[in-house]
Amino acid sequence: MNGRRDTVDMEKLLKELAVELYEIQAVKFGEFKTKIGLKTPIYFDLRVMISFPKIMVKLAKTLWTLHDDCTKVSQICGVPYTALPLATLISVEEGIPMLIKRKEAKSYGTKKLIEGVFSLGDCCIIIEDIITSGSSILETVDILKKEGLSVTEAYVIIDREQGGRKYLESHGIKIKSLFVITQFMQYLLEAGKITPEIVKNVDDYLATNRAPSISIRGVRDDRLTLSYGKRAKLATNPLASKLLELMDSKQTNLCVAADLTETDVILDLANAAGPHIAVLKVHVDIIENFNNKFILRLKELAKQHKFLLMEDRKFGDIGNTVSLQYTGGLYKIAEWADLITVHPVSGLSVISALKKSLEGISEPRGIFLVAEMSSEGTLTTGDYLKSAISMAEENSDLVIGLVCQSNLSAQPGLLQLTPGVKLTKSSDGLGQQYNDPRSVVNAGADLAVVGRGITEAPHGYLKAVLEYKKELWNAYEERISVGNM
C-alpha cells in the first residue's frame, strides 16, 4: 500500500509544481524559438525560479527523489546555467559534492573545464532543467568522461519529448524526468490554467517536430571516429577532400611549420620532410631573400612529394585589404598557397572577399579559420569562439577547418588543425604552450603542426619528422579504433 500512496503523493506534488511553474511564468504559450533554432508554441524559462526560492527548493528536493541509490553517487554536476542552483541545493541538502562545468576553459593557469575535487572513476549524476535535443547534456557528459568520471544518468525537470531522451540513451545516458511535456500540459488543463485548444496546438506541434541532429561542441562523434578516407567522401570542399585522401594514402597527419627565414633552408626541409607530411606551412613575410624561383621550386617539391602548401598569413583585415593581400603585392599568395589561415575577427566579409579573389584561380583553395590559439592568455574564447565555429560550419565550401586546441565541430568534412605540438608538454617562455602528439589528437586534432620540434632538432630534420609522424599516426589510429569499438 505504501508504494501506491507514494505514487499518489508524488503525482499530487507534480501537479502542484506544474501550476506553480505556470504562475511564475516559467512556462509560456505563443510563438517562440528554442536555443537550437526550433519554433515552438510552448516555451519553458526555468531561470525565473531563482526569484522564487521556495519553488526552487521544492523543485530540487523533488528532482532528487528520482535517484535509486544515493550511496553510489560521488558527484553531481549541474549543466550551466539554469541547473546550477538546483545542483547546489541538492549538494547542500544531501551532502553530495558538486562539480561545475565551465562554459569555456580558463585561458590561464590550469585551463580547467571542470571545477571541483574528484577522483578517477567517480560516479557523477547530471542535473538539467530541460532536454530538447540533448546536446547540452551530452556535451557535459563528454567533458566529464574525458576527466575520468563515470556518467550514466541525468535527472531532468522537463523532457520536451522531441527526441532528446532517445538520442541520449543511444549514447548510454539514462534520463529520468519529473515531467514529460504532454503530462505537464494535462496537469495545467486539469487545473483550469489552459484551454483544450492550447493542448491540441502543442500536441500537434510535438507530433511533427523533432530536434535536429546537430554538431555539439566537445562531443566525440563522426569527425573523430571516421577514418580520413571515409571523411574525404563527406567533405563539401574539394581541397578538404583532397587533403583527407592524401593523409589517408600517405598515412600522415603531420603539418611541418617551416617558420624559417632563408629560402635554401626551407627548401632543404621541404625536400627531406615532403614524403612524410601532409602540409608544409610557411610565413612568407619573414623570409629575408624571398623570390619567385623559390616559390616555383617549392611548388615542384609539393607536387613531387604530394603535400599541400599553407601560408600562415592569418588574414584579418577588412575585405578590400584582405583581397589585395591575398592576390597582389610581392607574394601573390593566392597563386601558389593551397591553404591559408584567417582570423574571423572582421566577420563574414573576410570570407566573402577571399571567395571573390579566387575567381581567376583554377586550382582548389581552402582556408582554416583561427578559432583558438595555443598562446598563453589568448582572447579567442567565449562568444568569439562560438562565432568562429558557426562561420566555419556555414561556409564549408571554402573553409576546410578550424585552427583550435579542442574538438569544436562534429562535421566530418571539417578538419581540426592544432599548432603547438612537441613530444613533451612545455612552453617557450614567450607565451607559446606545447602539447604532446597523443594529447592533441585525443583533443580532436586531424592535422598537428610541429615547428621547432623539427626545425631545431639536434639530430636532423628527417629523424625528427619520422618520429613525430609515427607518434601522431599511432594516436589517430587509436582514436578511430576506440570510437568504433
Side-chain angles (χ1 to χ4, degrees), residues 37-48:
L38 292 175
K39 289 185 177 180
T40 173
I42 180 172
Y43 180 69
F44 290 94
D45 182 10
L46 296 183
R47 290 168 294 188
V48 300

Side-chain angles (χ1 to χ4, degrees), residues 31-195:
E31 187 172 318
F32 307 94
K33 185 177 287 188
T34 68
K35 180 177 71 173
I36 61 173
L38 292 175
K39 289 185 177 180
T40 173
I42 180 172
Y43 180 69
F44 290 94
D45 182 10
L46 296 183
R47 290 168 294 188
V48 300
M49 69 183 174
I50 62 175
S51 296
F52 302 90
K54 289 184 179 180
I55 294 176
M56 186 165 60
V57 169
K58 192 173 180 179
L59 270 175
K61 287 183 176 180
T62 309
L63 190 61
W64 193 243
T65 63
L66 296 175
H67 73 81
D68 292 323
D69 184 357
C70 63
T71 62
K72 296 179 181 179
V73 181
S74 306
Q75 313 276 350
I76 58 173
C77 181
V79 177
Y81 285 108
T82 310
L84 285 178
L86 293 172
T88 303
L89 288 169
I90 293 170
S91 175
V92 172
E93 182 69 22
E94 303 296 330
I96 298 173
M98 186 175 82
L99 301 175
I100 295 177
K101 182 188 83 70
R102 298 176 64 91
K103 277 287 190 177
E104 57 272 330
K106 293 161 64 176
S107 60
Y108 56 89
T110 59
K111 297 188 176 182
K112 293 190 298 185
L113 272 169
I114 300 296
E115 300 289 354
V117 178
F118 56 89
S119 301
L120 291 177
D122 278 357
C123 175
C124 183
I125 299 293
I126 301 292
I127 304 297
E128 178 63 303
D129 60 335
I130 298 168
I131 56 168
T132 303
S133 69
S135 62
S136 296
I137 289 178
L138 197 56
E139 178 181 337
T140 302
V141 168
D142 188 72
I143 291 170
L144 291 169
K145 284 186 174 181
K146 285 178 180 177
E147 295 291 338
L149 289 148
S150 173
V151 190
T152 59
E153 286 189 335
Y155 301 165
V156 180
I157 295 175
I158 297 168
D159 174 7
R160 285 185 59 99
E161 298 181 279
Q162 291 183 266
R165 181 188 294 266
K166 183 177 180 180
Y167 179 63
L168 289 165
E169 289 180 348
S170 73
H171 284 77
I173 307 301
K174 183 178 181 180
I175 299 298
K176 295 181 178 180
S177 64
L178 292 181
F179 302 100
V180 294
I181 198 170
T182 47
Q183 186 61 63
F184 188 90
M185 296 290 290
Q186 286 301 314
Y187 289 154
L188 293 183
L189 180 64
E190 291 173 14
K193 300 297 181 180
I194 58 175
T195 65

Side-chain angles (χ1 to χ4, degrees), residues 243-413:
L243 177 54
L244 287 163
E245 288 175 351
L246 182 155
M247 292 161 64
D248 188 61
S249 63
K250 291 182 71 174
Q251 295 192 352
T252 181
N253 47 2
L254 174 59
C255 169
V256 169
D259 299 337
L260 304 165
T261 61
E262 296 291 332
T263 57
D264 289 345
V265 180
I266 295 173
L267 292 173
D268 286 345
L269 173 60
N271 193 40
H276 310 287
I277 65 174
V279 175
L280 183 79
K281 181 180 80 70
V282 298
H283 280 288
V284 289
D285 55 359
I286 68 171
I287 300 175
E288 295 176 355
N289 58 339
F290 177 86
N291 58 74
N292 289 333
K293 288 184 180 179
F294 162 70
I295 291 297
L296 290 174
R297 179 57 181 150
L298 198 58
K299 290 176 68 176
E300 288 173 0
L301 289 172
K303 183 176 181 181
Q304 176 186 342
H305 297 310
K306 296 181 181 178
F307 61 84
L308 299 186
L309 293 172
M310 177 191 294
E311 164 50 33
D312 196 8
R313 178 64 178 79
K314 296 186 178 73
F315 294 90
D317 216 313
I318 61 172
N320 184 62
T321 301
V322 162
S323 180
L324 293 172
Q325 290 172 328
Y326 190 35
T327 60
L330 178 64
Y331 306 119
K332 296 178 174 56
I333 295 167
E335 295 182 5
W336 57 268
D338 302 295
L339 300 161
I340 57 173
T341 52
V342 176
H343 278 301
V345 65
S346 55
L348 282 173
S349 61
V350 69
I351 297 179
S352 301
L354 291 168
K355 284 181 182 179
K356 188 171 179 59
S357 300
L358 290 171
E359 289 177 356
I361 304 296
S362 57
E363 296 88 353
R365 295 287 186 255
I367 68 178
F368 277 98
L369 279 185
V370 182
E372 291 178 316
M373 298 183 71
S374 55
S375 53
E376 185 178 2
T378 177
L379 302 180
T380 53
T381 59
D383 290 339
Y384 183 93
L385 180 60
K386 295 175 185 177
S387 296
I389 298 167
S390 296
M391 284 176 63
E393 293 182 339
E394 294 168 9
N395 294 274
S396 57
D397 56 331
L398 182 59
V399 179
I400 79 165
L402 293 162
V403 180
C404 54
Q405 300 293 311
S406 55
N407 179 23
L408 301 182
S409 175
Q411 290 191 8

